[in-house]
Amino acid sequence: MHETTHGTGHEKSREATGHVPWADRAWAAVLERTGQTAAEVGPRFPLYADPETGSWKTTSRGSWTGGFWAGLLWLRALASGAPQDRSAAAACTRRLAHWIDQDTATRGLIFWYGTALAAGPGGDGLAAGLRDSAARSCLEAYDPERELVPWGEAFGGPRMLARVDAVPGLVPLLAGLGTEGERAAYGHLTRHLTLSRSESPPRPAWQAGPDDGWTPCAEPAPGWSRTTPWLLLGLADGLHCLTDGLNSRAAGALWEAAGQLAAPRLAPADRITAPRLAPAARFTVVLPSPAAPLVPPAQEDQPSGPLDTSAAAIESVALLKLAALARATGRGGEADRLTARARQILHRLCTGHLSARGALTDGCYDAARALAPRHELIWGDFFLAAGLALLTGRMAPFAT
């Protein structure tokens, strides 16, 4: 199917009412796959699956991806309404408790995506308590001098790192703790934005150096497929949960960062602008052409290498969240263009990379180490499901 930049009026109308046949079919397939995965892994956590056999590599405690499995189970439970699905999702969320006091900034990924649907539309009080405990533990780890929650030592290596995969999840998790948490969330977000965007392409990882300085890390390397999607996702959540407490200049800076990061991914003549700012603070992003590929290579400088469908799925959710924010601030045209890009991504994933059993294949866990380079990844499945749920109106934009 040829994909136009903006989609037809009929397609957009169906999306607005939640009726997108290809997305509905994909949604059903992903939920069916979720049930199969649950039956296979039992109380363990799926990490990545072989693209041929579908067999999962699992972990006992979930590693940094455990929250995505819990979140996917909650998407299934909320869709089916079945008591047994809800019980399975709730039990999985409770198994994340081990990570509350672990020294890792990936607690944002673990506890936001593992509890948001449970504590929100799921109405699970235990999940809400787990989220609050994790958020407070993360706040205690916040370094006010470095203005971030350090990457941590839980997975080995230097503790005082700034990595873009520490941004999503941790921003809304911290922001839910009131003024102090919002201050930490803003510092954490802007520290990572400042560091990563000091180079082009954005550098995903930095290590603290002497005299409050930072030195670039070699891994993940610039051009990593998930760098910009993770940042866009963190920015979308920051713009949603922080801007009421920011002055116009600070809010405008976040919108500007979103515009600059999204620019290469949108079609020519599209733009993101900062809403409700004084004329001097407004900006326009001049967008390059052509737009970035819908499904990026795992490493930008290796276009013939493996793809990373998980990065594309993350981007689709980030763009749909930004579209909701743009629409809420009276910028319907921008919202339509962001939605169009997200729809194109999701359509490509569902028609080109979704297996007959409902697995999102061609995800790349770690290209540099040739680890699971063309596999089904649990976070890829989660973000594909979340993107489809957002596109078809099954889930509110900031439910997770």
Side-chain angles (χ1 to χ4, degrees):
M1 175 180 174
H2 175 68
E3 294 172 337
T4 62
T5 299
H6 302 297
T8 66
H10 182 54
E11 287 170 333
K12 286 195 280 187
S13 175
R14 288 188 299 179
E15 286 167 16
T17 57
H19 300 297
V20 190
W22 60 263
D24 291 338
R25 291 191 295 270
W27 169 258
V30 171
L31 292 191
E32 179 69 19
R33 173 61 172 163
T34 302
Q36 296 167 358
T37 298
E40 176 185 340
V41 304
R44 293 177 67 84
F45 290 84
L47 188 57
Y48 54 83
D50 184 276
E52 300 299 327
T53 67
S55 178
W56 285 96
K57 170 73 172 178
T58 64
T59 66
S60 61
R61 291 177 170 172
S63 188
W64 62 273
T65 66
F68 299 121
W69 176 230
L72 193 54
L73 288 174
W74 275 105
L75 280 171
R76 181 184 67 153
L78 293 170
S80 72
Q84 65 269 26
D85 290 346
R86 181 185 176 89
S87 177
C92 184
T93 294
R94 289 195 294 273
R95 291 198 296 274
L96 299 174
H98 160 78
W99 293 98
I100 288 178
D101 294 317
Q102 299 301 306
D103 183 25
T104 172
T106 64
R107 283 178 290 179
L109 299 176
I110 295 167
F111 287 104
W112 179 254
Y113 296 103
T115 66
L117 289 169
D124 188 312
L126 290 176
L130 191 67
R131 180 181 63 185
D132 184 68
S133 295
R136 294 187 183 284
S137 184
C138 290
L139 183 58
E140 290 177 4
Y142 180 75
D143 186 321
E145 294 184 0
R146 292 286 184 171
E147 296 183 302
L148 84 169
V149 176
W151 178 250
E153 297 176 329
F155 298 109
R159 178 176 189 272
M160 190 56 75
L161 296 180
R163 284 185 45 142
V164 294
D165 35 356
V167 177
L170 199 48
V171 170
L173 192 70
L174 290 169
L177 294 177
T179 302
E180 188 179 2
E182 290 173 359
R183 188 180 302 114
Y186 178 75
H188 186 79
L189 174 60
T190 55
R191 168 59 65 199
H192 285 82
L193 287 170
T194 299
L195 288 172
S196 63
R197 293 166 64 230
S198 66
E199 293 189 8
S200 182
R203 182 176 287 274
W206 296 78
Q207 182 172 353
D211 301 324
D212 298 327
W214 293 86
T215 58
C217 295
E219 294 183 3
W224 182 41
S225 56
R226 295 194 285 277
T227 301
T228 296
W230 282 139
L231 289 173
L232 283 172
L233 189 58
L235 265 166
D237 286 332
L239 285 164
H240 170 66
C241 62
L242 296 175
T243 50
D244 285 348
L246 299 177
N247 59 40
S248 62
R249 183 177 297 277
L254 293 184
W255 276 107
E256 182 174 11
Q260 291 177 347
L261 288 167
R265 316 181 99 74
L266 301 176
D270 293 349
R271 65 181 185 174
I272 297 177
T273 55
R276 299 190 302 274
L277 298 180
R282 289 190 178 273
F283 62 90
T284 299
V285 176
V286 179
L287 300 172
S289 179
L294 298 176
V295 180
Q299 194 61 41
E300 187 178 304
D301 60 358
Q302 300 174 22
S304 61
L307 300 174
D308 187 7
T309 53
S310 77
I314 296 164
E315 181 187 336
S316 73
V317 172
L319 295 180
L320 288 170
K321 287 187 171 192
L322 287 169
L325 292 168
R327 191 168 287 113
T329 51
R331 295 169 296 136
E334 292 172 19
D336 288 345
R337 291 187 286 271
L338 290 163
T339 300
R341 166 77 178 181
R343 183 196 66 82
Q344 287 180 298
I345 291 171
L346 291 167
H347 184 268
R348 177 65 58 81
L349 294 177
C350 293
T351 58
H353 302 279
L354 194 65
S355 75
R357 61 175 173 265
L360 180 61
T361 59
D362 299 316
C364 184
Y365 192 109
D366 189 334
R369 293 172 174 78
L371 175 62
R374 292 179 173 84
H375 288 56
E376 177 185 8
L377 307 174
I378 192 58
W379 67 92
D381 286 353
F382 170 79
F383 281 108
L384 174 62
L388 292 170
L390 291 176
L391 185 70
T392 58
R394 289 179 167 91
M395 184 174 75
F398 294 94
T400 191

